[in-house]
């Protein structure tokens, strides 16, 4: 079971990075934003459900800011929410929280809010005046859309009794009836109609003319704060909503404080019942730990808070016809079947591709080309075939049999017994894999080479100009050939050479990410960079780690979130001589900056710390996370190099060994008082 999930996750990850590249780098998306979201949500759902599989949380939040607007860095990142699709997911979420906080019997108070399907925005008030408004963008940088936002009547332009500086965050949305009126008008006047109220809202705010924004009837619900100049001593989310409404903001309706899963289930049923009667779209419910003190302790995992979850709402299935099944080969050889269906509208969005996950899934559901199938977006999010309408099956629809040969290089593929994903193992010569690797290497989050997108890479590959990573940095040698190609004048060739030159310096974590190693996305690359500091060290440690009886192997598997299977992928990657040779050559053309991460200075900074025993008021995960934040290196074994040992209840052998070595011992009470002051 876990192997199936793992394989699905691997394939989803590959798709996400491919479509990120197509959308952000090439501006040539192959799938709609909606379909992209569906893939991401399935990925998020699975990593939420199976945190132990060691897959990283995605780094990207939302869309990269558009170049139409000034790009502004958020003072505090605007985060995303993890999704839950069933009561079980919510139960797991509550249990995870309790485990993290080390709470067994007490109940935790949650606040439930509807998840408004709109456009999130951060509003900055200085000395009471609304001075700027920034969209979420990618969570780190957003678009400055102040002039447009100033036209929205629902948003107070001034707040009284507020602090000197405050960021109010929430959702801009359009009422369903205003959306229908707008679309009727647009249809009549031959303008493209909007697919749903959210698109209409985004389209109204993310365009350059404030007059257009002013004409659209937009509304705003405030639900959280960003940066604030003064501590307001608000104890929980409930009181924050009261404060926001005192300042003149509308806040989400139908909120409820609950204490346990049964009450959440009741709230969910209630909201499902009233959903259609609401005049605005909601795409889920948000459950947040109410207490700010507990929220602070729970903190964040990558780009989503540990203290909140979005419970997606269900949707009904829609019938369509499966026209074809195509196989896609990813960067790491994973072969993914994709269903091409007759275009169909689900809840305002057109769907023509569906995820078929893998061949076992096709077999399990007995899906055949030509079948009438039901497509569902579970929780309004995932497009997948939930079943076949057997009564409509024609006798000529034969069982689907996946080819056992790679659709790109024709070499035999391999599907390990307990795995669901078939792979092309020809990592050295399979054209599809190599091209995908090169595309990934040049993509925005990797080397970020402007002008070297899918189209150009495919062309240069065909012309033998780029066959591996190092060729990219020697492209200048072939300047004359490129110059003579259709679509490449002198200017664009020079621009390309310049952007390649500009990318010769790269941070260590981005470099690792660029290599396209299986399961090494941006977060894992950061973890590795942080741990190994520079490439030479990493390489020599990985070569040693091929022997599992070494400290190097122990160190690798002990890195937070890495674990044995990712370690295996890394070790295998670095075993490949051809890849290593290419990397060696590549290193002669580029400069890798060592990794530097901002840390809170403390007595643990750059110290080796061991944790032993169990704690009363916090979990080991929380202790470890706080230590990492303070710049400590948390290690599993006591050695002569260990600086501190944090001791909980029933400590065991490690304490004894630390005492013998004269290592500084810190007990739970001391440790908690240190982290309280963080
Ligand atoms: S809380 C740390 N509450 O959903 C994240 N978000 O998928 C704080 N959203 O980016 C968000 N209604 O744009 C929160 N009642 C609500 C919401 C809500 C809609 C949006 C928001 C967020 C996205 C995450």
């Amino acid at each position: 079971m876990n192997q199936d999930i793992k394989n699905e996750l691997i394939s989803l990850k590959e798709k996400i990075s491919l479509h990120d590249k197509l959308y952000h780098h090439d501006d040539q998306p192959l799938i709609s934003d909606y379909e992209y979201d569906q893939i991401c949500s399935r990925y998020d759902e699975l990593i939420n459900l199976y945190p132990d599989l060691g897959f990283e949380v995605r780094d990207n939040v939302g869309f990269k800011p558009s170049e139409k607007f000034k790009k502004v860095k958020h003072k505090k990142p605007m985060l995303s929410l993890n999704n839950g699709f069933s009561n079980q997911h919510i139960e797991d979420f509550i249990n995870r929280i309790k485990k993290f906080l080390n709470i067994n019997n007490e109940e935790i108070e949650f606040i439930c809010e509807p998840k408004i399907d709109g456009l999130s925005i951060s509003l900055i008030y200085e000395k009471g005046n609304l001075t700027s408004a920034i969209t979420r963008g990618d969570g780190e940088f957003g678009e400055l859309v102040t002039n447009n936002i100033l036209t929205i009547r629902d948003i107070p332009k001034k707040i009284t009794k507020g602090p000197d500086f405050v960021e109010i965050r929430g959702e801009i949305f359009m009422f369903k009836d205003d959306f229908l009126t707008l679309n009727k008008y647009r249809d009549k006047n031959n303008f493209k109609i909007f697919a749903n109220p959210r698109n209409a809202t985004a389209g109204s705010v993310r365009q350059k003319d404030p007059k257009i924004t002013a004409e659209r009837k937009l509304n705003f619900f405030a639900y959280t704060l960003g940066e604030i100049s003064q501590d307001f001593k608000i104890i929980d989310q409930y009181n924050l909503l009261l404060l926001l409404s005192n300042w003149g903001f509308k806040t989400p309706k139908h909120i409820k404080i609950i204490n346990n899963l049964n009450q959440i289930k009741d709230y969910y049923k209630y909201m499902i019942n009233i959903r259609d009667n609401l005049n605005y779209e909601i795409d889920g419910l948000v459950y947040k730990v109410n207490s700010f003190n507990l929220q602070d302790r729970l903190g964040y995992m990558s780009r989503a808070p540990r203290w909140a979850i979005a419970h997606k709402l269900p949707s009904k299935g829609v019938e369509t016809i499966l026209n074809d099944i195509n196989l896609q080969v990813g960067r790491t050889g994973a072969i993914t079947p994709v269903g091409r269906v007759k275009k169909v509208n689900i809840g305002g969005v057109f769907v023509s591709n569906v995820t078929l996950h893998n061949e076992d899934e096709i077999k399990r559901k007995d899906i055949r080309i030509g079948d009438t199938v039901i497509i569902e977006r579970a929780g309004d999010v995932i497009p997948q075939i939930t079943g076949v309408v057997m009564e409509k099956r024609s006798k000529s629809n034969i069982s689907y049999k996946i080819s056992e040969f790679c659709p790109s290089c024709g070499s035999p593929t391999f599907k390990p017994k307990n795995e669901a994903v078939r792979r092309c193992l020809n990592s050295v010569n399979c054209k599809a894999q190599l091209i995908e690797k090169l595309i990934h290497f040049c993509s925005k989050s990797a080397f970020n080479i402007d002008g070297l997108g899918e189209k150009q890479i495919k062309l240069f590959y065909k012309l033998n100009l780029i066959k591996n990573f190092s060729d990219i940095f020697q492209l200048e040698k072939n300047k004359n050939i490129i110059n003579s190609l259709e679509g490449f004048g002198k200017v664009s060739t020079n621009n390309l050479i310049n952007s390649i030159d500009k990318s010769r310096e790269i941070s260590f974590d981005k470099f690792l990410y660029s290599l396209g190693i299986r399961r090494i996305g941006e977060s894992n690359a950061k973890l590795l960079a942080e741990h190994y500091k520079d490439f030479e060290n990493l390489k020599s440690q990985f070569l040693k780690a091929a022997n599992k009886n070494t400290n190097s192997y122990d160190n690798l598997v002990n890195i937070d979130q890495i674990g044995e299977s990712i370690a295996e992928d890394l070790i295998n990657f670095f075993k490949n001589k051809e890849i290593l040779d290419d990397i060696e050559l590549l290193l002669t053309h580029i400069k890798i900056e060592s990794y530097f991460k901002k840390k809170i200075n403390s007595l643990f900074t750059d110290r080796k710390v061991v944790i032993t025993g169990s704690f009363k008021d916090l979990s080991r995960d929380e202790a470890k996370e706080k230590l990492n934040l303070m710049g400590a290196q948390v290690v599993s074994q006591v050695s002569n190099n260990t600086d501190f040992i944090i001791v909980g209840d029933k400590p065991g052998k490690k304490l004894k060994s630390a005492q013998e070595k004269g290592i500084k011992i810190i007990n739970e009470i001391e440790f908690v008082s240190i982290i309280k002051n963080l």
Side-chain angles (χ1 to χ4, degrees):
M1 167 69 176
N2 267 5
Q3 195 56 50
D4 288 357
I5 304 288
K6 255 190 197 173
N7 290 332
E8 187 182 343
L9 274 164
I10 293 165
S11 129
L12 287 166
K13 239 179 119 163
E14 281 167 358
K15 277 187 212 152
I16 292 169
S17 79
L18 167 70
H19 293 299
D20 272 346
K21 195 204 78 55
L22 288 167
Y23 184 94
H24 296 300
H25 188 267
D26 302 353
D27 283 331
Q28 282 174 340
L30 268 186
I31 55 172
S32 66
D33 295 349
Y34 167 72
E35 285 168 286
Y36 172 84
D37 281 350
Q38 289 171 318
I39 298 171
C40 293
S41 303
R42 175 71 178 161
Y43 179 86
D44 294 346
E45 179 199 11
L46 290 179
I47 57 165
N48 248 335
L49 277 175
Y50 302 93
D52 296 342
L53 290 183
F55 280 80
E56 72 219 29
V57 174
R58 285 182 304 116
D59 268 0
N60 285 340
V61 180
F63 297 102
K64 300 261 153 96
S66 150
E67 263 128 48
K68 267 197 275 183
F69 298 95
K70 194 172 161 209
K71 214 166 113 176
V72 187
K73 190 169 169 76
H74 290 295
K75 287 199 188 300
K76 270 192 182 166
M78 284 183 86
L79 299 157
S80 172
L81 289 169
N82 287 326
N83 291 326
F85 295 88
S86 63
N87 286 335
Q88 186 59 50
H89 294 180
I90 305 305
E91 191 173 353
D92 294 346
F93 158 75
I94 298 175
N95 288 340
R96 267 200 306 276
I97 286 182
K98 286 191 170 173
K99 190 168 161 231
F100 192 92
L101 296 172
N102 212 10
I103 292 177
N104 294 321
N105 301 323
E106 289 160 61
E107 284 185 334
I108 295 177
E109 195 172 81
F110 288 90
I111 182 162
C112 306
E113 298 170 10
K115 185 168 181 296
I116 319 298
D117 197 9
L119 178 79
S120 56
I121 196 99
S122 188
L123 307 170
I124 297 181
Y125 291 83
E126 289 171 281
K127 301 214 173 348
N129 294 310
L130 174 59
T131 53
S132 35
I134 312 166
T135 65
R136 182 170 73 171
D138 64 3
E140 202 185 340
F141 289 91
E143 302 141 327
L144 191 67
V145 288
T146 321
N147 290 340
N148 291 349
I149 297 306
L150 285 169
T151 69
I152 300 176
R153 251 182 287 158
D154 223 23
I155 293 180
K157 309 299 168 305
K158 269 185 192 306
I159 51 176
T160 46
K161 289 181 273 169
D164 268 1
F165 182 99
V166 63
E167 262 180 287
I168 312 271
R169 291 176 173 177
E171 211 76 5
I172 302 182
F173 62 95
M174 192 178 278
F175 282 131
K176 287 179 191 166
D177 49 10
D178 289 331
F179 163 72
L180 292 176
T181 313
L182 174 67
N183 259 359
K184 258 187 215 148
Y185 167 82
R186 289 178 71 85
D187 196 28
K188 208 167 135 197
N189 293 284
N190 288 331
F191 292 115
K192 218 174 137 199
I193 60 160
F194 290 113
N196 52 44
R198 186 185 60 84
N199 279 348
T201 308
S204 309
V205 173
R206 299 177 68 231
Q207 54 76 43
K208 290 290 279 183
D209 185 357
K211 268 195 240 129
I212 293 181
T213 324
E215 281 165 12
R216 308 275 164 82
K217 292 185 175 152
L218 298 172
N219 308 278
F220 178 69
F221 277 152
Y223 48 70
T224 194
L225 294 180
E227 182 86 356
I228 182 159
S229 59
Q230 171 185 341
D231 196 355
F232 256 85
K233 302 268 175 293
I234 318 156
I235 54 161
D236 56 26
Q237 171 70 8
Y238 183 80
N239 280 289
L240 173 64
L241 293 176
L242 289 181
L243 181 69
L244 288 170
S245 99
N246 273 338
W247 283 347
F249 293 92
K250 284 190 193 141
T251 55
K253 311 282 176 279
H254 305 287
I255 60 163
K256 194 166 169 58
I257 304 246
I258 59 92
N259 291 301
N260 57 46
L261 186 66
N262 280 338
Q263 290 172 354
I264 284 196
K265 287 181 188 164
D266 289 344
Y267 176 74
Y268 185 81
K269 276 188 214 146
Y270 168 76
M271 290 305 287
I272 294 254
N273 273 334
I274 66 157
R275 182 187 191 184
D276 288 342
N277 302 333
L278 296 175
N279 196 10
Y280 46 88
E281 297 271 12
I282 61 172
D283 59 336
L285 307 172
V286 190
Y287 309 144
K288 306 173 181 177
V289 169
N290 194 22
S291 147
F292 284 162
N293 178 25
L294 292 185
Q295 284 191 8
D296 286 345
R297 279 184 60 195
L298 285 157
Y300 299 85
M301 281 165 76
S302 202
R303 293 307 202 90
R306 230 185 234 111
W307 44 262
I309 194 163
H311 196 174
K312 292 296 193 164
L313 295 174
S315 71
K316 292 179 200 94
V318 171
E319 266 186 29
T320 184
I321 291 168
L322 179 65
N323 287 328
D324 204 356
I325 297 178
N326 296 147
L327 300 180
Q328 286 177 350
V329 187
R331 181 179 89 227
T332 59
I335 292 180
T336 320
V338 178
R340 312 288 180 198
V341 295
K342 189 170 159 216
K343 213 176 195 179
V344 65
N345 186 322
I346 314 184
V349 187
F350 285 102
V351 174
S352 50
N353 298 326
V354 291
T355 317
L356 287 169
H357 306 291
N358 55 58
E359 58 195 271
D360 291 348
E361 176 88 356
I362 299 177
K363 203 186 265 169
R364 194 173 62 80
K365 291 184 179 154
D366 188 19
I367 296 169
R368 304 180 183 189
I369 296 172
D371 275 351
T372 299
V373 289
I374 311 260
I375 306 191
E376 233 177 78
R377 291 152 60 195
D380 261 357
V381 181
I382 315 161
Q384 54 185 3
I385 294 180
T386 50
V388 174
V389 186
M390 289 301 175
E391 308 82 67
K392 295 194 183 172
R393 170 171 284 171
S394 140
K395 279 200 184 108
S396 58
N397 297 355
I398 49 166
S399 291
Y400 179 73
K401 193 164 177 318
I402 195 162
S403 162
E404 287 178 5
F405 298 94
C406 171
S408 166
C409 68
S411 58
T413 54
F414 177 65
K415 181 172 173 291
K417 238 192 190 147
N418 300 319
E419 291 188 17
V421 170
R422 180 173 288 280
R423 274 173 199 281
C424 165
L425 300 181
N426 181 11
S427 60
V428 180
N429 291 317
C430 173
K431 186 175 149 191
Q433 282 190 55
L434 295 176
I435 289 179
E436 290 304 323
K437 278 196 181 94
L438 289 166
I439 293 173
H440 172 82
F441 185 87
C442 298
S443 65
K444 202 147 205 142
S445 315
F447 269 81
N448 188 16
I449 307 180
D450 238 5
L452 209 47
E454 181 173 349
K455 209 167 105 198
Q456 295 80 2
I457 288 174
K458 283 188 172 156
L459 177 68
F460 294 161
Y461 187 91
K462 201 165 127 198
L463 298 172
N464 271 329
L465 299 178
I466 297 180
K467 286 282 174 189
N468 51 39
F469 298 152
S470 51
D471 288 343
I472 295 172
F473 294 95
Q474 302 175 72
L475 206 58
E476 192 166 6
K477 282 189 204 158
N478 295 308
K479 216 171 156 178
N480 289 340
I481 304 181
I482 300 175
N483 250 335
S484 65
L485 296 173
E486 208 188 300
F488 279 91
K490 248 198 181 136
V491 179
S492 54
T493 310
N494 280 339
N495 285 347
L496 176 60
I497 302 296
N498 283 341
S499 56
I500 292 174
D501 279 344
K502 263 203 277 174
S503 68
R504 283 181 202 265
E505 246 179 68
I506 188 163
S507 62
F508 182 29
D509 57 316
K510 279 197 184 245
F511 173 73
L512 286 176
Y513 171 73
S514 310
L515 296 178
I517 307 168
R518 211 174 140 189
R519 285 181 271 201
I520 304 301
E522 289 174 85
S523 312
N524 279 346
K526 276 198 187 105
L527 286 176
L528 292 171
E530 207 179 320
H531 190 84
Y532 291 101
K533 305 285 187 272
D534 65 58
F535 184 68
E536 278 312 308
N537 179 36
L538 174 136
K539 196 178 90 182
S540 76
Q541 291 298 322
F542 281 8
L543 292 176
K544 285 186 208 154
N547 176 351
K548 290 195 176 171
N549 298 321
T550 52
N551 280 341
S552 305
Y553 181 78
D554 277 353
N555 275 335
L556 175 58
V557 290
N558 276 323
I559 300 174
D560 194 23
Q561 293 180 45
I562 294 292
E564 284 183 20
S565 42
I566 299 184
E568 201 178 306
D569 290 338
L570 286 163
I571 292 166
N572 283 339
F573 183 88
F574 281 88
K575 261 189 199 160
N576 189 324
K577 183 159 176 332
E578 289 180 48
I579 290 179
L580 278 191
D581 286 349
D582 186 27
I583 294 177
E584 282 307 319
L585 199 56
L586 174 66
L587 293 179
T588 63
H589 298 288
I590 62 164
K591 187 169 168 252
I592 307 175
E593 301 150 18
S594 303
Y595 190 77
F596 171 75
K597 189 182 171 198
K598 246 209 240 153
K599 287 168 183 164
I600 298 176
N601 252 335
S602 75
L603 88 152
F604 297 116
T605 308
D606 295 326
R607 303 288 174 170
K608 284 199 167 63
V609 184
V610 170
I611 306 175
T612 182
S614 57
F615 300 117
K616 219 169 78 245
D617 287 329
L618 76 169
S619 66
R620 283 173 79 106
D621 283 345
E622 187 178 0
K624 205 166 160 188
E625 188 169 285
K626 293 282 166 8
L627 283 165
N628 283 333
L629 193 68
M630 292 185 283
Q633 193 187 339
V634 183
V635 289
S636 52
Q637 298 301 330
V638 174
S639 74
N640 288 334
N641 296 330
T642 309
D643 297 295
F644 294 99
I645 181 161
I646 318 280
V647 182
D649 203 23
K650 304 207 183 88
K653 276 192 205 139
K654 287 183 194 169
L655 174 61
K656 202 160 162 247
S657 153
Q659 279 164 337
E660 280 162 13
K661 292 185 179 3
I663 291 165
K664 175 101 183 78
I665 298 167
I666 295 184
N667 65 30
E668 182 178 350
I669 299 173
E670 289 166 328
F671 183 63
V672 168
S673 81
I674 295 171
I675 59 175
K676 262 207 181 122
N677 297 327
L678 270 185

